[in-house]
Amino acid sequence: MTQWFAHRGVSIAKPENTMAAFKLAEEKGADGIELDVQLTRDNKVIVMHDLSINRTTNGRGTIRSKTWDDLKKLDAGSWFGGTYEPIPLLEDVVSWLSGNTLLVNIELKGPLKTMPDLIRAVKNIVEPALPASRVIISSFHHPTVVSLHEEWKEPEKALLVSSGLYKPLRYLQQAEVFSLHVKRQTISDKEMVELMEQGITVRVFTVNDEKALQRLINLQVDGIMTDHGILPITLSH
Ligand code: G3P
Ligand code: CA
């Protein structure tokens, strides 16, 4: 059964990576949420996609140049045309998740030099609060996924792939424990089916078009990241 992940929350309807977008995912019946995490200058884990705060808040600058005190009063909602939304801390999202049954895919973002600290900080926040069976951690930087696995065995890890499959497949063969989160345009139907036949969990991002979503359901992919959170409407045939 294909699982539905709300990409940055239901980011088609609410400002991405905010509690409003995550809560809507639960309301809509998504199986899980996907979110991006980064470290502030004082090593707080915040939920945001870009390295800079310019696009999604009313502030300016990079996340790494800011402390949590600098960021906590910023507005991460109005840019989207809505009302004020705070930037969430990962610990706040995890606390909310501990009261429901959603899965969470945490994508490690930010400068590579922050990855060791980010891995430790994410583990410290998530491990005591959520069962590992509800957690998937992913990164486009595959050596980071390997380091993460060495440090924290239990949760599922996923290699994010937005270009050729050759390198990630080497990692998959070495570790035999990683899943693949792959950009739809990067992979053919045949390749996906072959990978799943080999026992690899394949989730696909970021798909919003209804026909493309239906095609993925028919292929029985393991998971879909969509800004809608779930299949948006019933398709007419
Ligand atoms: O999890 C897949 C997707 O979130 C990766 O791309 O740029 O939306 O973080 P991006
Ligand atoms: Ca992401």
Side-chain angles (χ1 to χ4, degrees), residues 105-118:
N105 173 200
I106 299 170
E107 183 187 344
L108 306 175
K109 289 270 204 227
L112 282 185
K113 63 176 188 230
T114 65
M115 287 303 146
D117 286 342
L118 181 62

Side-chain angles (χ1 to χ4, degrees), residues 7-8 34 36 49 105 107 109 140 160 205-206 225:
H7 178 247
R8 310 181 199 174
E34 187 268 357
D36 306 287
H49 178 272
N105 173 200
E107 183 187 344
K109 289 270 204 227
F140 280 108
L160 274 164
F205 68 88
T206 300
M225 276 75 177

